[in-house]
Amino acid sequence: MVYEIYLVFGCALLSLIYGAFTSKSILSCSDGDEKMRSIARAIQEGAQAYLNRQYSTIFFVGIIIAVFLYYVIGFYVSFGFVIGAILSGLAGYIGMIVSVRANVRTAEAAKQGLQPALDISFKAGAITGFLVVGFGLLGMISYYAYLISVFGDYGGRELIEPLIALSFGASLISIFARLGGGIFTKGADVGADLVGKIEAGIPEDDPRNPAVIADNVGDNVGDCAGMAADLFETYAVTIVGTMVLGMILFSEPDQQILMMFPLLIAGVCILSSLIGTFYVKLGESDNIMGALYKGLLVTGGISAILIFAIIYFFIGLEHVISDSTLFVITFNGMDLFICAIIGLLVTGLLVVITEYYTGTDYYPVKSVASASESGHATNIIQGLAISMQSTALPTIVIIFGIIFSYIVAGLYGISIAATTMLALAGMIVALDAYGPVTDNAGGIAEMANLPENVRKTTDALDAVGNTTKAVTKGYAIGSAGLASLVLFGAYTQDLKYYFPSLNIIFSLEDPFVVIGLIIGGMLPYLFGSLGMTAVGRTAQQIVNEVRRQFKENKGIMSGRSQPEYGKAVDILTKSAIKAMIIPSLLPVLAPFVIYFTINVISGQEAALTTLGATLLGTIVTGLFVAISMTSGGGAWDNAKKYIEDGNHGGKNSEAHKAAITGDTVGDPYKDTSGPAINPMIKIINIVSILMLAILSHWNLLVSFTTANNRSST
């Protein structure tokens, strides 16, 4: 076990070292003239001010939960929660700091050409990616090693409960960051577009728009910090979920290595992702997407080789393993490798499918753009149709991934497929975080009145960034489907462990199963509605503010006076912080409300049955809602971009105005509610698993107290 721990620890450190050296390299690049620097400083200050307030709010919520966990389960669980929350916050915060400094350097590099600008923007994204996997893996392996030193190699639930709490801490930060950042960025974007582009007829990122700085700030706090926290959470939850199954399903001598296996996969995939970053280079065709895919393909290929190596050295290709489930599934090391390959294939297919539905070269986006010619309503109709259609192919891919990995190695095989998917998070996050950097670079180029060729370069990078952001959301949601199934498996196994006297069978003949499925199916819709409503209300405030400034300060439109940028940033900060709290707490509190309500009505067995079925309903419905929102929103966004490139009448045409309306609807779809459903699904599963431990500890406490009272009398 010692060598395995050292290997994983070394890979995690290497990831952070890469992030540190790459940050130094980027910050040494030129940041342009004074005008560019002043614009960049405004974005930096706005982003930092928002994150400081957001994390302050989360801090108080986190303290309450940490204290609660300490008193009901114990120190190690509470401390695990704190570790997960802190590391998740750090990954997003540091990534954002680099991102808001790389944007101006990307704009400056665009003066030299496409490749220099791509180098800086992608490396900035890679820093966030490797901070996510580096902090995540370092936290998990360090705390796991510490727990082993305290409880021994066979500590059982004492090893697992604190790690589940660590993933819960990451999830809590994630849902607040995703929602809060999403409300901020889309409130700014919608408000800026509705007044600036439609009413005033000025271009996107025009310095005369009072919401333009807030819009650029939002790209960073939503698409960079929020996304980083989201993928950190998915990464941690999936690995911990696989470790939980490794402990629950297997006995010695295989238990220890199968608990370590997901950590080993994550470690070696950091190495492959590092190598992959050096292959992101433009070819003769200057195909930006092709360059990014080249890096991803290299990462996937090397990952397969390294995973094969760790199975060969640490498990054995022919070593036979049997799980302890009802069906007693037997498999060997080679079978585990096949499951890992399935995970890599699912990742690749989800990336390709999402690009198809959101890329400007394909039918879905072109159909939305074409529909814009006949008006706003037809744009919305076609966009909604594409959003619903986009759920089919990813779902089929996920289904086949589940079927084949289960046939090969049972529930643990599914978890290994999911782990392998998430092990590529370093490269995947790099592709995503590249997007807000290029978006900001285009904004700075516009506001600083840089030459047309510079804006052409940043626009080309930004168009690809829109697709990569959609692609990574599809990847995160797809992996969440597999990870949530793993967590549900852990929930059912924990039921048997903590409540062996209860006979819980999830049969459709049981009305409480049906009730749970209905409740679970409803929750993603309710959650998504709360996020959409928050964006709408925030956007209304920005619309009113931008209109006020245009009305009261006539010099803005003529360029004689400067808008009050800080006013819009302040409005959004206050509104987003306030609006994110209730929806973020929904998946945290829902398991407790469901359990205690049903427990009062029909008893504990019915309550735990309903809660388990709720998890299934949430997983199924959440998967469809999230894919529909993110892919549909991406299609609306790039349909607008496609028209702006000169198609269907180009900028300021009637089709363009209709496309702006569609993009405005799609913005909270793809950047707020849709991606936030990803952590929402996993939080409700994690809280339910922790609740079983809480109830078990509570029952023991009650029994102990009762016994003492009896003995004293």
Side-chain angles (χ1 to χ4, degrees), residues 395-411:
T395 303
I396 293 169
V397 169
I398 292 168
I399 288 170
F400 277 107
I402 291 171
I403 291 173
F404 289 128
S405 54
Y406 184 81
I407 291 172
V408 172
L411 188 57

Side-chain angles (χ1 to χ4, degrees), residues 261-493:
F261 187 45
L263 294 169
L264 288 165
I265 291 175
V268 298
C269 286
I270 285 177
L271 300 178
S272 62
S273 297
L274 279 169
I275 297 170
T277 61
F278 295 101
Y279 285 84
V280 179
K281 298 291 181 183
L282 292 170
E284 293 181 2
S285 62
D286 281 348
N287 187 331
I288 302 168
M289 201 71 196
L292 297 173
Y293 276 170
K294 192 191 305 176
L296 184 59
L297 285 170
V298 169
T299 298
I302 297 174
S303 294
I305 296 169
L306 293 178
I307 291 170
F308 182 87
I310 62 172
I311 292 173
Y312 180 84
F313 286 108
F314 294 111
I315 297 176
L317 298 176
E318 303 299 325
H319 178 69
V320 177
I321 303 162
S322 297
D323 71 17
S324 56
T325 62
L326 180 66
F327 303 102
V328 190
I329 295 171
T330 301
F331 53 89
N332 60 25
M334 192 64 194
D335 292 326
L336 291 178
F337 177 68
I338 292 170
C339 291
I341 295 299
I342 290 171
L344 292 174
L345 289 174
V346 169
T347 298
L349 288 170
L350 288 177
V351 166
V352 171
I353 291 168
T354 309
E355 186 193 355
Y356 171 74
Y357 279 104
T358 58
T360 54
D361 295 331
Y362 306 103
Y363 166 77
V365 168
K366 289 182 178 179
S367 72
V368 177
S370 179
S372 303
E373 287 192 5
S374 52
H376 300 252
T378 47
N379 171 282
I380 298 297
I381 291 169
Q382 185 61 19
L384 287 173
I386 293 297
S387 75
M388 289 186 279
Q389 185 192 114
S390 68
T391 62
L393 289 178
T395 303
I396 293 169
V397 169
I398 292 168
I399 288 170
F400 277 107
I402 291 171
I403 291 173
F404 289 128
S405 54
Y406 184 81
I407 291 172
V408 172
L411 188 57
Y412 188 77
I414 297 173
S415 71
I416 290 303
T419 296
T420 308
M421 286 184 69
L422 265 301
L424 303 183
M427 175 58 74
I428 298 293
V429 175
L431 298 182
D432 191 302
Y434 146 91
V437 175
T438 59
D439 197 348
N440 272 199
I444 292 169
E446 180 75 29
M447 286 184 277
N449 295 315
L450 297 184
E452 186 62 29
N453 67 306
V454 174
R455 187 64 209 239
K456 186 178 179 181
T457 297
T458 58
D459 281 351
L461 293 168
D462 184 29
V464 172
N466 282 329
T467 302
T468 61
K469 285 187 287 186
V471 162
T472 52
K473 290 184 182 83
Y475 157 87
I477 293 161
S479 62
L482 293 179
S484 298
L485 188 61
V486 171
L487 292 172
F488 178 74
Y491 176 84
T492 58
Q493 295 296 324

Side-chain angles (χ1 to χ4, degrees), residues 211-225:
V212 69
I213 294 294
D215 189 9
N216 282 281
V217 168
D219 291 332
N220 294 284
V221 300
D223 292 332
C224 185

